[in-house]
Amino acid sequence: EAMYNSKVVIASDVPGLRDMIRDKFTGLLFKVKDEHSLKVSMLSCEKLEELSKSLGKNARMDFDARYNYEEMVEAYLRIISM
């Protein structure tokens, strides 16, 4: 939802999230169990408005490219018909 709405995503650098978010392009990844890394990411977005806007814009473009509605429906239908 955040990517669709051009909002910055800050997430743990774990499998799954790492696949969705391209660090420093569509969002920010922080080290697992590293409060300082999370804090730095959050403060970066708060202090650098242009960074936040750029990440949000990139996230929306990436979302549109990867999560096409028609393709998702087709994929679900393929799974259901198995």
Side-chain angles (χ1 to χ4, degrees):
E1 288 180 26
M3 293 174 76
Y4 177 81
N5 288 298
S6 302
K7 301 296 181 189
V8 176
V9 177
I10 300 174
S12 298
D13 189 4
V14 296
L17 295 176
R18 186 181 310 131
D19 298 330
M20 292 177 56
I21 298 165
R22 293 190 286 164
D23 193 33
K24 297 180 182 74
F25 184 72
T26 61
L28 298 174
L29 296 173
F30 64 91
K31 296 175 188 168
V32 176
K33 297 182 181 181
D34 185 341
E35 294 173 14
H36 179 72
S37 179
L38 171 59
K39 180 180 176 180
V40 168
S41 294
M42 293 173 71
L43 290 174
S44 294
C45 288
E46 181 182 57
K47 291 180 181 177
L48 304 171
E49 187 175 334
E50 285 304 311
L51 172 65
S52 294
K53 286 180 182 179
S54 176
L55 292 173
K57 178 182 164 191
N58 292 342
R60 176 57 192 257
M61 288 189 310
D62 191 55
F63 179 90
D64 289 341
R66 295 197 307 172
Y67 304 105
N68 178 291
Y69 176 77
E70 288 81 16
E71 291 176 16
M72 290 176 67
V73 169
E74 287 178 23
Y76 283 125
L77 290 174
R78 282 193 303 272
I79 291 168
I80 292 171
S81 65
M82 294 180 136

